[in-house]
Amino acid sequence: MRILSLAHLTVLDATPPELVSVAAAAGFRNVGIRLTATPSVGAPPYDILRDGPILRDTLRRLADTGVSVLDTEFLRFEPDRPVGVPEGFLEVSARLGARYVLVMSAEPNEDRTLERFGDLCDRAAAYGLQVCLEFAIYTGVRTLAHAAHVIARSKRTNASILVDALHFSRSGGVPAHIAGVDRSLFRYAQICDAGPDMPAPGDTPALIREARTGRLLPGEGVLPLAELVAALPDDVPLAIEAPCRATADLPALERAKRAYQALARLQSSR
């Protein structure tokens, strides 16, 4: 049985301590925590990047529930922001016991992405952290093949690829493409479903809206999720990242329970 994890974006209105409690009550034993809260996308304001109440409460709830942190996010390389890693991000990730940190790049220049990615990997290695590069059609690393190319150029042993089912599909990916990439580069995957009406590849605002609030639970859409999961290595954890406008008003626990049930059904369908 694969590890099943609740990605924070599924219940983004929950603070990190609340996320841990909700995940445990829903049946998850792992979570992905957003260390950088963004009120503009629906996250409540919180400060977990210093030794304060939020961090201490999160650590206490992890210990009390036995829930583990699969990954921390969300790092993004912006061309107009030289600092891509907030102060305390890697230190807090390590304190939480995270295995992976997630990064995307908005850098249009591949060499600049590579420089920043290599620096992040080197800094993360000092904390025993793996770095997962996520691709999306509207970012500087657009496809699975492009991500594999960047990883190969980086020559970093703690570098890997994050496959998000939505971004994978919207960038033209199909499950058969997984076989063309070194299997050791897949450390975990993010799972959701999506409807048949894909935004135009050049419509970045629509693609971002879909990614943030327009996803569906596995089994509610048309993505070939069973085939995607089967194509991935058998030990790759699955994190469900499925924020959905239609259920946004439900309590976080109810959304988490539905997410767990859908992800468990997908895993057992193999």
Side-chain angles (χ1 to χ4, degrees):
M1 297 294 288
R2 297 177 187 267
I3 289 173
L4 304 183
S5 181
L6 177 64
H8 206 156
L9 191 60
T10 305
V11 288
L12 193 57
D13 51 320
T15 64
E18 293 167 346
L19 169 69
V20 173
S21 295
V22 162
F28 289 97
R29 307 308 299 163
N30 290 264
V31 292
I33 299 181
R34 283 210 169 197
L35 301 186
T36 50
T38 309
S40 63
V41 297
Y46 55 80
D47 181 4
I48 194 174
L49 292 181
R50 62 183 180 88
D51 191 11
I54 292 291
L55 177 57
R56 290 194 293 268
D57 193 12
T58 303
L59 289 168
R60 179 182 60 80
R61 296 196 198 194
L62 288 170
D64 289 348
T65 60
V67 168
S68 299
V69 178
L70 180 68
D71 68 301
T72 55
E73 52 180 41
F74 171 68
L75 297 177
R76 184 178 174 92
F77 300 144
E78 301 282 359
D80 57 344
R81 297 179 189 170
V83 178
V85 184
E87 183 177 354
F89 189 99
L90 297 176
E91 294 87 343
V92 169
S93 296
R95 284 192 63 183
L96 292 169
R99 296 163 60 182
Y100 310 106
V101 295
L102 176 61
V103 64
M104 298 182 83
S105 180
E107 285 278 4
N109 182 283
E110 184 180 296
D111 287 340
R112 180 63 178 144
T113 288
L114 191 65
E115 177 185 348
R116 299 180 73 171
F117 183 72
D119 177 68
L120 171 60
C121 288
D122 292 343
R123 294 173 60 186
Y127 294 93
L129 295 165
Q130 298 279 330
V131 179
C132 294
L133 178 61
E134 183 175 5
F135 60 91
I137 193 67
Y138 53 83
T139 70
V141 182
R142 299 168 58 84
T143 65
L144 174 62
H146 192 186
H149 170 71
V150 171
I151 297 293
R153 287 191 65 197
S154 77
K155 297 182 171 64
R156 297 311 197 272
T157 59
N158 65 330
S160 58
I161 299 173
L162 187 284
V163 172
D164 176 301
L166 179 68
H167 296 318
F168 182 55
S169 171
R170 295 326 192 206
S171 64
V174 296
H177 292 163
I178 297 293
V181 175
D182 180 352
R183 294 175 71 78
S184 71
L185 295 182
F186 300 114
R187 305 294 172 82
Y188 75 105
Q190 290 181 334
I191 300 297
C192 70
D193 217 330
D197 299 325
M198 172 184 170
D203 191 347
T204 295
L207 288 164
I208 292 175
R209 282 195 302 273
E210 181 185 43
R212 289 178 174 174
T213 63
R215 301 174 186 237
L216 302 173
L217 293 177
E220 294 181 348
V222 299
L223 299 188
L225 297 180
E227 293 83 355
L228 174 59
V229 171
L232 292 166
D234 291 338
D235 59 348
V236 166
L238 304 178
I240 187 161
E241 185 172 77
C244 179
R245 281 187 294 271
T247 58
D249 292 335
L250 294 175
L253 178 56
E254 177 60 27
R255 280 174 279 147
K257 286 180 176 179
R258 294 185 182 196
Y260 181 83
Q261 292 163 2
L263 192 57
R265 282 195 298 270
L266 174 64
Q267 176 168 251
S268 64
S269 67
R270 287 191 58 191

